[in-house]
């Protein structure tokens, strides 16, 4: 298996349409134009895992400051799922950022059995792949997420929240952040209304 950094916008568009749109519901998926803008800023990296010239999956990472980053999306091509490609992709990317703090988000259980099966499988995948669970959830565009992280040691929520907020503030205007982003989501706090990802 080969891990490479994607640089072609055409290929990014292809995997966005073929993989990300299938793997994530619209309320969780960043618009393609927003991904392009973050790449133009030099803070968004797309890692692609391949074997024999075939794309197995991709991991999209938002780089922050002070040695932190956010695993924005991880997806495995439908025909290669349940074969270890996701774990291998994550392992290789974590090796690249050894010694740094990487945050992750995975949708929190909703209480709806029709949705929660997939949600629990995703959380289980991250748990098996050494993710720690932070002590706070977050809300983004009306969706509640569990906060995950990878680091050399356990970190207090105050440190994780500072990293987490900085990563999101680097993406959005202050007005958009205040309107849609809840980091942390306080105990008993209502989610803000579900809305498409803002492109401001």
């Amino acid at each position: 298996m080969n891990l490479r950094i994607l640089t072609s916008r055409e290929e990014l568009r292809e995997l966005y349409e073929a993989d990300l749109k299938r793997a994530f519901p619209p309320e969780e998926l960043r618009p393609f134009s927003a991904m392009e803008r973050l790449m133009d800023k030099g803070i968004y990296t797309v890692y692609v895992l391949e074997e024999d010239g075939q794309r197995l999956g991709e991991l999209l990472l938002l780089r922050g400051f002070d040695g932190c980053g956010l695993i924005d999306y991880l997806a495995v091509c439908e025909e290669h799922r349940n074969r270890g490609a996701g774990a291998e992709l994550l392992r290789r990317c974590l090796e690249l950022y050894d010694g740094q703090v990487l945050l992750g988000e995975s949708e929190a259980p909703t209480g709806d059995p029709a949705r929660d099966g997939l949600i629990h499988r995703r959380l289980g995948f991250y748990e098996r792949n050494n993710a720690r669970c932070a002590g706070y959830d977050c809300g983004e565009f009306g969706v509640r997420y569990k906060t995950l992280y990878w680091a050399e040691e356990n970190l207090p929520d105050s440190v994780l929240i500072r990293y987490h907020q900085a990563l999101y503030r680097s993406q959005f205007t202050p007005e958009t952040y205040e309107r849609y982003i809840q980091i942390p989501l306080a105990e008993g706090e209502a989610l803000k209304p579900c809305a498409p990802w803002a492109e401001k």
Side-chain angles (χ1 to χ4, degrees), residues 44-79:
Y44 205 62
T45 305
V46 181
Y47 296 97
V48 178
L49 186 68
E50 298 173 325
E51 185 174 49
D52 298 328
Q54 283 194 318
R55 187 175 73 248
L56 305 183
E58 55 274 337
L59 186 150
L60 291 76
L61 189 136
L62 177 69
R63 297 190 311 281
F65 309 98
D66 300 325
C68 72
L70 172 71
I71 295 176
D72 203 26
Y73 298 100
L74 189 159
V76 174
C77 301
E78 195 168 2
E79 62 272 25

Side-chain angles (χ1 to χ4, degrees), residues 109-117 119:
T110 65
D112 178 357
R115 294 183 60 188
D116 284 355
I119 288 171

Side-chain angles (χ1 to χ4, degrees), residues 1-199:
M1 293 183 187
N2 175 57
L3 184 71
R4 68 180 177 91
I5 295 176
L6 184 150
T7 57
S8 161
R9 290 194 178 197
E10 292 75 19
E11 192 175 1
L12 176 60
R13 169 69 78 178
E14 177 189 341
L15 69 83
Y16 186 88
E17 296 291 336
D19 299 345
L20 298 179
K21 278 190 172 181
R22 293 181 182 179
F24 298 96
E27 63 270 19
E28 293 184 37
L29 186 57
R30 185 189 300 278
F32 179 76
S33 58
M35 290 184 179
E36 286 187 308
R37 280 200 301 276
L38 292 173
M39 288 182 74
D40 288 344
K41 288 182 178 180
I43 59 174
Y44 205 62
T45 305
V46 181
Y47 296 97
V48 178
L49 186 68
E50 298 173 325
E51 185 174 49
D52 298 328
Q54 283 194 318
R55 187 175 73 248
L56 305 183
E58 55 274 337
L59 186 150
L60 291 76
L61 189 136
L62 177 69
R63 297 190 311 281
F65 309 98
D66 300 325
C68 72
L70 172 71
I71 295 176
D72 203 26
Y73 298 100
L74 189 159
V76 174
C77 301
E78 195 168 2
E79 62 272 25
H80 298 294
R81 290 176 186 166
N82 302 314
R83 300 180 185 177
E88 180 67 11
L89 175 57
L90 180 58
R91 183 187 68 79
R92 292 199 185 191
C93 288
L94 290 173
E95 285 180 351
L96 294 175
Y97 292 87
D98 186 41
Q100 300 185 42
V101 177
L102 290 186
L103 292 167
E105 299 161 347
S106 193
E107 188 179 2
T110 65
D112 178 357
R115 294 183 60 188
D116 284 355
L118 176 60
I119 288 171
H120 284 296
R121 286 196 296 276
R122 283 180 176 166
L123 288 169
F125 166 80
Y126 287 119
E127 182 180 357
R128 291 191 302 275
N129 286 279
N130 303 313
R132 294 181 169 98
C133 191
Y136 68 94
D137 291 353
C138 54
E140 293 149 19
F141 298 96
V143 179
R144 185 185 192 107
Y145 296 94
K146 305 299 292 182
T147 305
L148 311 170
Y149 73 98
W150 290 262
E152 292 182 334
E153 59 186 5
N154 290 325
L155 294 174
D157 286 346
S158 58
V159 171
L160 296 171
I161 289 168
R162 178 166 54 85
Y163 284 144
H164 209 167
Q165 290 175 340
L167 283 159
Y168 272 85
R169 290 187 187 280
S170 73
Q171 302 175 55
F172 301 112
T173 64
E175 294 78 15
T176 299
Y177 183 95
E178 293 302 323
R179 186 175 181 184
Y180 296 112
I181 307 301
Q182 297 164 278
I183 301 174
L185 185 65
E187 187 70 29
E189 181 181 0
L191 280 167
K192 294 182 178 179
C194 191
W197 273 83
E199 298 192 52

